[in-house]
């Protein structure tokens, strides 16, 4: 039992060296040392299980926080570069994730694919730009991130049910 206590004690020191956040809700270091050195095997086992559970929960919170931060970074990047050609590879590099993981995580966090999000954001920008009657449709297409005005019109028609020029006319009469 004494050898097991010493091994458990050493294991705790190693864990806390690498995961100091595991001590977050333990009041005094002396309490856990006393428990490990003088408690019975059942008490020590329960304590160590709780410690491992706390570390796991802490790591999960950290991972979730980092994932949320990465998605926020991807969204910010896309919104600030809407008029530029964009690939999932470029977005993933910006947030330091692999393209596959970014796509999975983005879908999990937002409920939509990166492509759908980007299309929606570009169409919202196009709708605002269409209010400026001094802009030509090809200029709006470029500023919304589409190099091909015909493709832009096709996407706009698919998402809004009308051509960009019809939308513009409808807006000017409201």
């Amino acid at each position: 039992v004494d050898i097991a206590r010493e091994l458990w004690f050493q294991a705790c020191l190693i864990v806390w060296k690498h995961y100091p956040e595991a001590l977050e809700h333990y009041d005094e270091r002396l309490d856990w040392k006393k428990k490990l050195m003088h408690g019975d095997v059942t008490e020590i086992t329960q304590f160590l299980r709780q410690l491992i559970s706390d570390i796991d929960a802490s790591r999960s919170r950290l991972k979730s926080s980092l994932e949320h931060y990465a998605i926020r970074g991807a969204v910010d990047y896309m919104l600030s570069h809407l008029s530029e050609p964009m690939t999932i590879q470029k977005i993933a590099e910006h947030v330091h994730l692999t393209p596959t993981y970014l796509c999975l995580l983005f879908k999990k966090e937002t409920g939509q694919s990166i492509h759908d999000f980007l299309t929606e954001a570009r169409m919202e920008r196009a709708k605002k730009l269409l209010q400026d009657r001094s802009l030509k449709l090809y200029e709006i297409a470029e500023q919304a991130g589409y190099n091909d005005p015909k493709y832009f019109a096709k996407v706009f028609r698919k998402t809004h049910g009308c051509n960009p020029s019809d939308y513009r006319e409808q807006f000017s009469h409201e």
Side-chain angles (χ1 to χ4, degrees):
V1 174
D2 288 337
I3 293 171
R5 283 189 177 132
E6 181 60 31
L7 290 173
W8 286 325
F9 181 73
Q10 294 302 319
C12 283
L13 292 177
I14 291 168
V15 165
W16 279 316
K17 178 181 178 187
H18 295 285
Y19 298 104
E21 67 275 8
L23 280 175
E24 285 176 353
H25 75 274
Y26 295 99
D27 295 331
E28 289 285 324
R29 289 184 185 208
L30 295 176
D31 286 342
W32 65 263
K33 288 179 185 177
K34 185 188 270 185
K35 191 176 282 191
L36 283 176
M37 296 311 286
H38 303 296
D40 63 28
V41 174
T42 304
E43 190 177 32
I44 293 169
T45 303
Q46 287 173 341
F47 175 76
L48 291 174
R49 282 189 179 143
Q50 183 61 50
L51 173 65
I52 290 168
S53 175
D54 292 345
I55 290 168
D56 190 46
S58 176
R59 291 182 70 209
S60 293
R61 282 191 308 273
L62 179 62
K63 182 179 181 206
S64 178
S65 174
L66 290 173
E67 288 173 345
H68 181 73
Y69 181 77
I71 296 306
R72 184 74 242 156
V75 167
D76 290 345
Y77 178 81
M78 287 186 280
L79 293 177
S80 63
H81 295 84
L82 278 179
S83 63
E84 301 170 19
M86 198 168 315
T87 64
I88 291 175
Q89 177 69 38
K90 190 183 286 190
I91 300 164
E93 286 172 2
H94 180 76
V95 295
H96 310 290
L97 296 175
T98 65
T100 303
Y101 186 60
L102 174 63
C103 288
L104 292 171
L105 191 58
F106 195 90
K107 178 78 170 184
K108 180 180 144 197
E109 286 275 324
T110 67
Q112 65 184 145
S113 70
I114 290 174
H115 179 266
D116 290 346
F117 175 85
L118 194 53
T119 299
E120 187 178 296
R122 286 178 165 165
M123 290 296 107
E124 286 303 311
R125 175 177 273 182
K127 284 176 21 182
K128 289 178 183 163
L129 292 170
L130 284 165
Q131 296 173 20
D132 183 351
R133 298 188 68 69
S134 68
L135 291 173
K136 307 277 187 221
L137 289 179
Y138 75 88
E139 293 172 321
I140 292 170
E142 287 175 359
Q143 290 183 38
Y146 295 92
N147 293 329
D148 181 356
K150 289 181 183 179
Y151 181 67
F152 162 71
K154 179 181 176 182
V155 173
F156 193 93
R157 187 172 35 258
K158 183 178 177 185
T159 58
H160 293 92
C162 64
N163 292 325
S165 54
D166 294 340
Y167 181 88
R168 178 181 261 174
E169 285 304 314
Q170 183 181 0
F171 178 77
S172 67
H173 295 299
E174 291 180 354

